[in-house]
Amino acid sequence: MSYRGAMNARVRSEERRAEIVRAALEVIAERGYRGASLAAVAERVGLTQQGLLHYFPTKDALLVAVLEERDQWDAVPDTRWRVDLLASLVEYNAMRPGIIQTFSALLGESVTEGHPARQYFTERYTQVRASMAAVLRTEYGERLPNGLTPERTAPLLVAVMDGLQYQWLLDPQSVDMPGAFRDFLRLLGEDPHREDPDREDPD
Amino acid sequence: MSYRGAMNARVRSEERRAEIVRAALEVIAERGYRGASLAAVAERVGLTQQGLLHYFPTKDALLVAVLEERDQWDAVPDTRWRVDLLASLVEYNAMRPGIIQTFSALLGESVTEGHPARQYFTERYTQVRASMAAVLRTEYGERLPNGLTPERTAPLLVAVMDGLQYQWLLDPQSVDMPGAFRDFLRLLGEDPHREDPDREDPD
């Protein structure tokens, strides 16, 4: 094969992998990981199961690629995060229910026995709590206005983001996820007696 | 069959059903609902799959019984709830990781397409948010000390409880779920400059 031919083949192969990963994200959103089959992913991209195995030899290998994909998207260097960007992230998440559904389903499954994503989520949360504590420290110093340290506040921040996602996915009409998250940020840091004039009560 | 014989048979049948539901809770905690098989539940209680179908004709029927079981345990009349009891509920939950694992796995799965528990969780959250708003109103009136209404605070309260459960299930050594939840209650209502002398920083 010529150099150009080899390059083209490699680009096509990478495009194909990316296409398979996107299909896997969809299938996991619909069925969870344990409910997902390689056959369903293969069908979605017009491959035989055997053809799919050429790109990803096992279902777990495909899951690893899915998890890496997410890390790539959401990678923001720790030093670049700010509290107001978190509110923007939640706004952004509200525009991509598919991907939030994939990862909410995976997080739920990850607490079951021997799940292949368990270690990923355990390590991810350790790292995310540390990042969030750093963000809070940059914004507020050693104590937040409410008296808590950044390290004690970080798990609450992460919990609110995750918990709101479930409520919102189940009932997007009733749950204003970005608005609720801004309320939480207000609990953390702002003058408690100042009102947000832009937001209505939900009922 | 004599009256006593019939009564005994009925009691035995109810005990058997309860035993099957307990086994189903375990199997769901281990594998999720989609990953659970009736065969695995049957084996755990020493029945054939055919024998199990006598008690629960479908997998979904067994799921309904599992969800009803939870509603029975956790049923507290709205008028009896108080904010400090919520902290006790989280303490209690920290002593029953198995059941929290079952319901965290089910909640995660419930956001996938056509999941049989989706309606249950959607309705449950509507009801739980309303209950929590009522609890907050009883405690604080129309505005919490931070200025939010009970209705805007309730989704955050529910989100923190759920989100902390995932972090704690994944990493019980690192996440003090009851302590973090008490911190959240402090954010809601107490004098922000008072310190909790009983709690150490997590790191």
Side-chain angles (χ1 to χ4, degrees), chain A residues 67-90 92-93 96 120 124 127-135 138 161:
Chain A
L67 299 174
E68 283 173 352
E69 180 86 355
R70 182 188 195 163
D71 284 341
Q72 275 190 325
W73 290 328
D74 287 350
V76 174
D78 272 17
T79 50
R80 304 288 293 276
W81 273 115
R82 296 190 321 263
V83 167
D84 58 325
L85 287 183
L86 294 176
S88 305
L89 174 63
V90 175
Y92 174 49
N93 285 342
R96 48 175 194 171
Y120 168 85
R124 184 181 163 85
Q127 183 247 304
V128 169
R129 282 190 297 265
S131 294
M132 293 299 115
V135 169
T138 302
M161 291 178 92

Side-chain angles (χ1 to χ4, degrees), chain B residues 30-176:
Chain B
E30 289 164 17
R31 302 276 311 165
Y33 177 70
R34 283 213 168 99
S37 69
L38 284 179
V41 176
E43 195 190 337
R44 201 158 297 205
V45 293
L47 280 172
T48 62
Q49 198 170 332
Q50 208 50 44
L52 181 71
L53 294 176
H54 171 72
Y55 295 93
F56 295 99
T58 62
K59 194 176 155 189
D60 281 10
L62 182 52
L63 179 61
V64 168
V66 162
L67 299 173
E68 282 173 352
E69 178 87 356
R70 181 188 194 162
D71 284 340
Q72 275 191 324
W73 289 329
D74 287 349
V76 174
D78 272 17
T79 51
R80 304 288 294 277
W81 271 115
R82 295 191 322 263
V83 168
D84 58 325
L85 287 182
L86 295 176
S88 305
L89 173 63
V90 176
E91 298 268 5
Y92 173 51
N93 285 343
M95 293 184 297
R96 49 177 194 170
I99 206 71
I100 299 305
Q101 185 170 322
T102 303
F103 281 88
S104 295
L106 275 176
L107 173 60
E109 271 184 285
S110 74
V111 305
T112 62
E113 309 293 318
H115 194 280
R118 184 177 181 120
Q119 193 186 350
Y120 168 85
F121 278 110
T122 305
E123 290 171 1
R124 183 182 164 85
Y125 278 106
T126 300
Q127 183 246 305
V128 168
R129 282 190 297 264
S131 293
M132 292 300 115
V135 170
L136 293 166
R137 178 161 281 111
T138 303
E139 184 95 2
Y140 298 113
E142 290 305 313
R143 294 277 168 185
L144 276 77
N146 52 63
L148 291 179
T149 61
E151 277 69 26
R152 274 168 68 171
T153 311
L156 301 176
L157 182 74
V158 177
V160 164
M161 289 179 92
D162 287 338
L164 286 176
Q165 286 176 1
Y166 289 106
Q167 292 180 57
W168 169 72
L169 286 168
L170 288 168
D171 199 351
Q173 307 303 316
S174 306
V175 177
D176 170 10

Side-chain angles (χ1 to χ4, degrees), chain A residues 1-188:
Chain A
M1 204 188 283
S2 68
Y3 174 73
R4 175 172 293 183
M7 280 303 283
N8 283 345
R10 192 169 147 187
V11 167
R12 274 198 307 277
S13 166
E14 279 174 13
E15 281 170 1
R16 199 61 157 158
R17 280 177 63 92
E19 197 188 344
I20 294 166
V21 169
R22 279 196 301 275
L25 283 162
E26 289 172 14
V27 172
I28 293 170
E30 290 166 16
R31 304 276 309 163
Y33 176 71
R34 284 213 169 97
S37 69
L38 285 179
V41 176
E43 194 190 339
R44 200 158 297 205
V45 293
L47 281 172
T48 62
Q49 199 171 331
Q50 206 52 41
L52 181 72
L53 294 177
H54 171 70
Y55 296 92
F56 296 99
T58 62
K59 194 176 155 190
D60 281 10
L62 183 51
L63 178 62
V64 168
V66 162
L67 299 174
E68 283 173 352
E69 180 86 355
R70 182 188 195 163
D71 284 341
Q72 275 190 325
W73 290 328
D74 287 350
V76 174
D78 272 17
T79 50
R80 304 288 293 276
W81 273 115
R82 296 190 321 263
V83 167
D84 58 325
L85 287 183
L86 294 176
S88 305
L89 174 63
V90 175
E91 299 268 6
Y92 174 49
N93 285 342
M95 294 183 298
R96 48 175 194 171
I99 206 72
I100 299 305
Q101 185 170 322
T102 304
F103 281 88
S104 295
L106 275 177
L107 173 60
E109 271 184 285
S110 75
V111 305
T112 61
E113 309 293 316
H115 194 280
R118 184 178 181 120
Q119 194 187 348
Y120 168 85
F121 279 109
T122 305
E123 289 170 2
R124 184 181 163 85
Y125 278 105
T126 301
Q127 183 247 304
V128 169
R129 282 190 297 265
S131 294
M132 293 299 115
V135 169
L136 293 165
R137 177 162 282 111
T138 302
E139 184 96 4
Y140 298 113
E142 289 307 312
R143 294 278 168 184
L144 276 77
N146 52 63
L148 290 178
T149 61
E151 277 68 27
R152 274 168 66 170
T153 310
L156 301 176
L157 182 73
V158 178
V160 164
M161 291 178 92
D162 287 337
L164 285 176
Q165 286 177 359
Y166 288 107
Q167 293 180 57
W168 169 72
L169 287 168
L170 288 168
D171 198 352
Q173 307 304 317
S174 307
V175 177
D176 170 9
M177 180 167 73
F181 187 68
R182 284 195 302 274
D183 282 344
F184 177 73
L185 292 181
R186 208 164 296 124
L187 281 187
L188 290 187

